[in-house]
Amino acid sequence: MNQLTTQLTGVPRTMLMTTWARVEEHQRPDAMFRDPQAAKWWQSLAWDRELDSYYTWQARLAWVVRANQLDLVAKRHLDKYPDAVVVELGSGLSTRFYRVGQDCSCWIELDLPEVTELRRQLDTETAQHRFLSYSALDFSWMDEIPPQSPQSLLFIAEGLLMYFTASQVQQLIAQMRQRFPGGSLTFDVVGGMTKGKEAKKLAQLGAPLQWFIDCDRDVTNLGLTVLQVSPLLQLLQNYPERLGYWSWFGWLTKLPALRNASLILETQLQPL
């Protein structure tokens, strides 16, 4: 296949790393999940060598574990609501639809126009699997969501909200609460200790982290009911063979600063 020219900057540029992480996971004999669609797309994508220093084995494992956990969330939702509508905010080159969502009544990939343009060169839009070219902060995307019972709606924001300011996150969630009260929103957040070396590296990439929380209770102030909390560093302990020497330090992940360094939160949108 011919390689596509990708001229991505800022936050969209980071999606090459998470996509490559899934491709490498797919190729492992002990893979957490298979992702043949990502492997197929990767034949047409060119790796950005300037991302080498960001693509560490620790980051790769964290991205894969996060993707797997969100797959499980989506599966549970689809099992409970066969007529569900799933919306991935800032979807990048997510292939979750192909991994777990092909029985979904409607699955929507929402991202910036330059990202959606790249997806259209790799993927095929259908009535069931739709692509929307919007920033998540351009709230007119909400008009595109098909009418559905709120309980069957699932919004997934994977690796997105930490790039927004606290004010932008608050405005987005307030709008979603007004339009989709009772809907489910699953997303990951980062804690204060993430402000260190890795955050500074991302800032140099033009993708600064801007929203940090102290603990999961902080999001209740946004009008969200927290249903499930999955600390990412604790999820990593399920794969000691991947962690090697570092698996001996698993007990440290119970310390608040490490527990809250990265969380996956399953929440419900409270009515305004």
Side-chain angles (χ1 to χ4, degrees), residues 41-61:
W41 290 357
W42 196 255
Q43 298 175 48
S44 299
L45 295 170
W47 175 247
D48 184 342
R49 301 301 303 184
E50 293 183 8
L51 298 176
D52 284 349
S53 64
Y54 301 88
Y55 191 78
T56 63
W57 72 266
Q58 297 97 329
R60 190 199 74 82
L61 180 59

Side-chain angles (χ1 to χ4, degrees), residues 212-228:
F212 303 89
I213 67 166
D214 290 325
C215 67
D216 46 279
R217 292 188 296 275
D218 289 354
V219 305
T220 61
N221 296 329
L222 298 174
L224 299 172
T225 301
V226 177
L227 305 175
Q228 180 70 38

